Amino acid sequence: MSLRVAVVGSGPAGIYTAEALVKQSAEPVEVDVLERLPTPYGLVRYGVAPDHTSIKSIANYLRRVLELPQVRFLGGVTLGEHLSVADLLGSYDAVVYATGAMVDRRLGVPGEDLPGSVAATDFVNWYCGHPDVSPDRFVLDSPEVAVIGVGNVAVDVVRVLAKTAGELASTDVPHDVLERLAASQVKAIHMIGRRGPEHAKFTLKELRELGELANADVCVRPDEAVVPGGDFPRQVRGNIDVLQSWAARAPVGRPRRLDVRFWMKPVEILGTDRVEGLRLERTRLTEEGRVVGTGVFETLPVGMVLRSVGYQSVPLPGVPFSEATMTVPNEAGRVREREYVAGWLKRGPTGVIGTNKSDAAETVRTLLADLADRQRVRQAPIDEVLAARGVAPVTYRQWQAIEAAEEALARTLGRGERVKLVGLEAMNEAMNEAMNEAMLRGETPA
Ligand code: NAP
């Protein structure tokens, strides 16, 4: 009898876990990758910016894992809705949770919930065509927009706001979203850091891309670009040099303008029915390194505030969760007997996609060592459990039908390799059409 493992979540962490199980296990292994959406790849599909095609191509690597004979994709299956932890433990030798970090951290300032104050997670999901966010969710009708935070997500959001729709036409941005980007009224984007250039979280490569925007001048205030002397790590030194070079150059009159600000923290989002401004306070660091206000304020006349201050995980029903770290408590990936965790849910939302590969490998080492001598008792095959509840998981082949429909849509629209289908309805339609065509050809639909 082979070792049977359920992986919950088909983003990079989940799929790297499946790969590590196949590679590391000395005995035969069968891995089911369960996913609440009909589509795999998690943040690679719904988080990586559409114009970052080389990062998006990680999907090609993840695809090869899903196509391994030992691995199965079961889409449209939600833990806590269709299955419980007890169900999983009743059907598999072990379970690995890898559901990532799906919601935004809060700012904790007045006005945060006004219309026009938007979580970066929502905005990113919007331009990535996530089925949870409708294409008509955002209208970019404000000439000035603030993006709070100076991490790589903030940089992605800024780039999408700064580029022309023409520059994004060859990406997989949903067509309705592209039309809204084409109608954007945004002229000025303010990206706000609460500390200095030496503390910014973005990486050098991503920062440099902002300087190459054809449609926007990038401006940094010389007084905010000053940093104390001293040795900085190479990446940080690189960021400082780039920012200081921007501080020394004048705008050349491009249609949009990006102001990268430092030492300013949001204290209030202003407005009655919707966002009408953002009140900032100049900051400094205390001797202990805490950010404090200086009593000097400034108001930006923005109609939209994008809060990009980090992601966080959400608890899974029946799975331990620490509110202090917002992760699942674990020891080298072990949560409880036969339960494991990998990726952002295990260590928090840090690192690049590749970081999840070594992270998943560690979890799998723990799992295989724990289960090496364990007697295998298997009760109910998961397919029967799901069928008894009327749940028909989306198969890998059905997902391929969605992919084929996205490629066909891109051809019809004369846009790039793929245009995302938006909404579960459109995806179901694509799957049904493919199934009908397969039946007409006399094939068995899988
Ligand atoms: P992040 O790197 O943690 O950056 C969060 C930013 O928000 C920081 O500048 C932080 O400032 C700021 N912040 C936090 N709380 C704040 C508050 N209350 N008020 C004002 N500012 C606040 O998070 P992220 O940008 O969401 O990125 C998540 C992970 O995904 C990172 O590892 C990132 O590198 C990765 N990612 C990579 C790429 C890429 O490789 N192209 C693209 C997107 C994301 P402080 O430092 O002062 O806390």
Side-chain angles (χ1 to χ4, degrees):
M1 200 157 50
S2 47
L3 175 71
R4 300 205 65 230
V5 181
V7 175
V8 183
S10 70
I15 298 187
Y16 285 136
T17 299
E19 182 190 33
L21 281 161
V22 172
K23 278 194 176 161
Q24 287 186 36
S25 178
E27 60 180 319
V29 62
E30 288 170 45
V31 189
D32 281 351
V33 180
L34 276 51
E35 165 62 53
R36 83 178 169 100
L37 297 174
T39 56
Y41 312 137
L43 214 65
V44 169
R45 182 172 160 91
Y46 291 125
V48 173
D51 58 343
H52 271 175
T53 39
S54 71
I55 307 182
K56 286 189 88 66
S57 68
I58 293 175
N60 294 330
Y61 183 93
L62 302 179
R63 166 197 316 272
R64 286 199 283 276
V65 177
L66 285 187
E67 289 178 355
L68 290 171
Q70 299 93 328
V71 179
R72 251 191 350 158
F73 173 70
L74 278 75
V77 180
T78 306
L79 177 65
E81 187 182 331
H82 305 116
L83 289 169
S84 66
V85 168
D87 292 325
L88 292 175
L89 292 173
S91 295
Y92 297 94
D93 297 306
V95 183
V96 183
Y97 307 111
T99 48
M102 292 178 286
V103 301
D104 64 303
R105 276 197 216 127
R106 302 280 297 168
L107 265 183
V109 300
E112 190 165 8
D113 295 315
L114 276 172
S117 164
V118 175
T121 42
D122 271 358
F123 194 72
V124 170
N125 280 339
W126 176 68
Y127 63 64
C128 288
H130 194 293
D132 287 354
V133 181
S134 156
D136 55 21
R137 169 85 168 73
F138 296 112
V139 184
L140 302 174
D141 56 359
S142 307
E144 300 210 25
V145 172
V147 178
I148 298 171
V150 282
N152 278 334
V153 171
V155 171
D156 282 348
V157 164
V158 161
R159 224 179 38 256
V160 170
L161 284 169
K163 283 191 170 182
T164 61
E167 287 175 286
L168 294 167
S170 64
T171 71
D172 65 7
V173 168
H175 208 59
D176 294 356
V177 171
L178 190 70
E179 282 172 356
R180 282 174 179 244
L181 289 169
S184 166
Q185 299 297 309
V186 174
K187 295 277 177 294
I189 306 158
H190 309 265
M191 182 162 74
I192 318 284
R194 63 176 171 179
R195 297 189 288 160
E198 68 275 35
H199 307 110
K201 295 269 173 64
F202 38 59
T203 40
L204 181 55
K205 183 169 169 283
E206 277 61 31
L207 180 65
R208 280 203 181 114
E209 264 182 273
L210 293 182
E212 289 153 16
L213 289 169
N215 194 44
D217 283 317
V218 185
C219 306
V220 177
R221 298 184 183 201
D223 57 327
E224 291 180 358
V226 175
V227 297
D231 279 342
F232 292 105
R234 201 173 50 84
Q235 276 275 339
V236 175
R237 185 74 252 169
N239 281 349
I240 296 169
D241 290 346
V242 168
L243 291 162
Q244 289 182 339
S245 74
W246 292 348
R249 72 183 192 193
V252 298
R254 295 196 176 102
R256 288 181 181 144
R257 176 186 168 112
L258 164 63
D259 275 307
V260 189
R261 302 292 309 272
F262 294 100
W263 297 110
M264 298 302 284
K265 70 167 180 172
V267 287
E268 186 174 357
I269 299 174
L270 308 168
T272 35
D273 300 327
R274 58 170 287 173
V275 172
E276 287 164 16
L278 172 67
R279 192 163 145 83
L280 299 167
E281 184 177 11
R282 168 103 20 226
T283 55
R284 65 175 181 84
L285 285 187
T286 63
E287 277 181 12
E288 305 79 56
R290 270 189 320 114
V291 182
V292 290
T294 60
V296 178
F297 295 92
E298 178 179 329
T299 298
L300 298 176
V302 296
M304 187 180 195
V305 174
L306 283 145
R307 309 176 319 255
S308 181
V309 296
Y311 289 168
Q312 65 189 26
S313 296
V314 287
L316 291 170
V319 180
F321 192 77
S322 159
E323 295 289 338
T325 60
M326 299 304 276
T327 55
V328 171
N330 69 91
E331 256 175 71
R334 182 190 310 105
V335 182
R336 291 186 296 213
E337 204 185 334
R338 300 200 291 132
E339 289 176 80
Y340 300 84
V341 63
W344 277 2
L345 186 61
K346 171 184 173 187
R347 61 170 207 283
T350 58
V352 293
I353 292 169
T355 316
N356 293 298
K357 196 168 183 181
S358 47
D359 178 289
E362 179 196 58
T363 295
V364 168
R365 276 195 299 277
T366 307
L367 182 157
L368 293 175
D370 287 353
L371 271 74
D373 304 317
R374 221 193 117 77
Q375 208 198 341
R376 307 265 144 69
V377 190
R378 196 140 330 117
Q379 297 126 3
I382 201 71
D383 296 9
E384 287 174 22
V385 175
L386 289 170
R389 291 175 195 172
V391 183
V394 173
T395 62
Y396 185 75
R397 225 169 111 190
Q398 286 175 307
W399 148 242
Q400 285 182 309
I402 297 174
E403 285 206 289
E406 293 187 336
E407 286 159 13
L409 182 59
R411 284 192 296 277
T412 310
L413 295 169
R415 286 185 48 195
E417 281 175 22
R418 171 200 294 259
V419 171
K420 293 250 181 72
L421 292 186
V422 182
L424 296 178
E425 215 174 290
M427 294 186 196
N428 283 333
E429 215 172 281
M431 291 189 282
N432 289 338
E433 266 176 33
M435 194 173 75
N436 291 340
E437 282 166 20
M439 286 197 330
L440 284 176
R441 288 194 303 268
E443 294 168 14
T444 346

